[in-house]
Amino acid sequence: MKDDFGTYLALALLFTVLSFLSIGGAISALPEIHRQAVDISHWMTDREFVDLVAIAQAAPGPNVLFVTLIGQHVAGIPGALIATFFMCGPACVVAFFIARAFDRFKEKRWRIAVQAGLVPLSIGLVASVALIIARSADHDWKTMLITAATFALTYWTRISPLYALGAATALGVSGFL
Amino acid sequence: MSDRVESSPADSSPLTAPVALDVVIPTRTELFLGFFKVTMTGFGGVLSFARREFVLVRRWMSSDEFSDLFALCQFLPGPNIVNFGIIYGWRLYKFAGAAIALTGLLGPPVLLMILAGELYGRYGTMPVFRGGLTGLAAAAAGLLIATAVQMSEPLVRRERLAQAAVALAAFVTVGIMQWSIVWVLLALAPVSIGIAWRSAAIAGRGQP
């Protein structure tokens, strides 16, 4: 854990850039955060990264807050606050001023095209997120079975996925995995 | 998307839109509590929880109004629900409203995350935690795969092959080849927006 000024600055810069690139939701930025935190800056191992994302999935709150956990793991509580602030702040200020002028372009064709055009990218990015997490989390038949069961429950039933997350955690705690 | 906003005065924007007569206007305290409840009960993304709470339970806005505002927030940069809180809060009480909504929305879960992070830092390597996290991560993977499949269904069902190809290209480059999303988005976004522009022209939805 490095908590020097340089790390704070790197976090601030990374999350400012990513807040503008997280198309259709903060989760879209996850592949880039993974690349930076694990492969380039070596802030954490792949295993730690996936643990933190999993914890964030099981916790309440907007899903942007996985960056809080990432920031904290890199640079403690200041890191948590810096990551959260820069992932939300700069982009939201810009969003605020666009919203102010919104009536001027509400029905414009280019806005509809931009919005519709970002959907496929967002799908590709969320699929990438799923791959990054699955690649690290599914290392034997038991974990693969849990992934498949959670997928089935989420996809084919209206039962809250929280039950699957809870049951899988309980299985792990009891030493089955 | 509904045409509600067009019938309002010419100078209206989402920040100043007049409040309809048949909705409840929350006080500052209610504004905080509403966002607090949504954020603390919202697991895996708060959209469906927000719609239920704000439209059905508290009647702060109509379903159309919610959809309109949320579509705007998805289009704008930054986390959707955070934009939603800022715009709705501002509409009611200007700066104070935005600050109250944001505090309710982010304050409690950020504290919770910091607590969880501290616990992970301290005990994350203990066998019992390792086991639990192994199970949790595997389940989270299943949840994310389900989300990706659900999102891609409309493209496959409506045979939007060009859009599906863009989604596949993003997945291969970012997910498999692990390229930076900065370059991938710079390359693919114009293509994808161009495709959407053309299909908007075919559907005759947009204005020239």
Side-chain angles (χ1 to χ4, degrees):
Chain A
M1 205 181 284
K2 297 163 276 177
D3 49 357
D4 51 1
F5 184 74
T7 309
Y8 296 161
L9 203 66
L11 282 173
L13 196 68
L14 172 67
F15 287 111
T16 301
V17 171
L18 289 181
S19 77
F20 288 100
L21 294 176
S22 50
I23 287 167
I27 199 88
S28 299
L30 191 144
E32 188 66 15
I33 298 173
H34 179 264
R35 222 172 70 87
Q36 287 288 341
V38 178
D39 301 334
I40 297 175
S41 302
H42 302 290
W43 283 331
M44 59 189 72
T45 64
D46 186 51
R47 177 73 233 207
E48 286 170 327
F49 183 88
V50 171
D51 281 349
L52 295 172
V53 172
I55 292 170
Q57 288 270 322
N63 51 23
V64 60
L65 295 185
F66 73 90
V67 307
T68 311
L69 278 173
I70 304 285
Q72 178 171 29
H73 198 76
V74 177
I77 292 175
L81 299 178
I82 288 168
T84 312
F85 179 81
F86 285 97
M87 189 70 183
C88 299
C92 286
V93 170
V94 172
F96 178 84
F97 286 104
I98 299 177
R100 240 182 183 172
F102 187 58
D103 60 315
R104 273 178 245 150
F105 60 91
K106 181 167 189 295
E107 290 303 318
K108 287 284 194 292
R109 179 173 153 195
W110 67 262
R111 192 190 66 78
I112 294 167
V114 169
Q115 199 157 355
L118 295 182
V119 171
L121 298 172
S122 163
I123 293 169
L125 293 177
V126 171
S128 304
V129 173
L131 179 68
I132 288 168
I133 303 303
R135 197 162 44 199
S136 169
D138 295 334
H139 45 76
D140 58 11
W141 66 271
K142 290 181 206 166
T143 42
M144 283 178 194
L145 200 64
I146 288 177
T147 300
T150 309
F151 170 81
L153 185 92
T154 313
Y155 189 71
W156 281 296
T157 76
R158 293 187 56 110
I159 300 167
S160 167
L162 269 187
Y163 291 107
L165 297 180
T169 309
L171 274 178
V173 168
S174 67
F176 173 73
L177 300 176
Chain B
M1 210 172 271
S2 87
D3 54 3
R4 258 183 91 92
V5 175
E6 281 145 297
S7 61
S8 57
D11 65 344
S12 82
S13 84
L15 293 157
T16 53
V19 180
L21 293 173
D22 53 346
V23 299
V24 175
I25 300 170
T27 64
R28 287 169 171 79
T29 314
E30 285 164 351
L31 185 65
F32 176 84
L33 291 175
F35 277 93
F36 174 78
K37 188 176 168 197
V38 162
T39 201
M40 293 311 278
T41 52
F43 290 87
V46 294
L47 170 61
S48 58
F49 298 88
R51 178 185 289 279
R52 210 185 96 80
E53 189 68 19
F54 296 156
V55 176
L56 299 177
V57 179
R58 295 181 185 253
R59 300 183 180 283
W60 286 354
M61 57 191 80
S62 71
S63 186
D64 282 351
E65 211 173 348
F66 181 90
S67 301
D68 253 12
L69 189 51
F70 210 87
L72 168 68
C73 293
Q74 283 182 313
F75 168 70
L76 295 172
N80 309 332
I81 189 73
V82 178
N83 284 332
F84 189 95
I86 291 173
I87 293 174
Y88 183 70
W90 183 275
R91 192 189 283 179
L92 295 177
Y93 301 112
K94 294 284 182 286
F95 186 79
I100 288 166
L102 262 190
T103 309
L105 185 67
L106 293 181
V110 163
L111 290 178
L112 213 68
M113 285 292 181
I114 289 176
L115 189 69
E118 283 295 314
L119 288 175
Y120 177 77
R122 255 175 238 193
Y123 307 112
T125 51
M126 280 172 61
V128 66
F129 273 84
R130 276 266 49 86
L133 285 166
T134 301
L136 182 60
L143 181 58
L144 287 162
I145 295 170
T147 307
V149 173
Q150 277 162 349
M151 284 173 77
S152 53
E153 264 181 350
L155 291 191
V156 177
R157 205 172 41 233
R158 292 185 208 157
E159 294 185 21
R160 298 265 166 86
L161 294 181
Q163 277 104 323
V166 171
L168 191 66
F171 173 67
V172 170
T173 50
V174 174
I176 297 174
M177 302 172 81
Q178 304 193 39
W179 292 1
S180 167
I181 63 166
V182 178
W183 307 119
V184 172
L185 291 182
L186 280 178
L188 286 180
V191 175
S192 191
I193 292 167
I195 293 168
W197 174 270
R198 278 199 54 209
S199 52
I202 293 162
R205 283 170 62 203
Q207 300 153 356

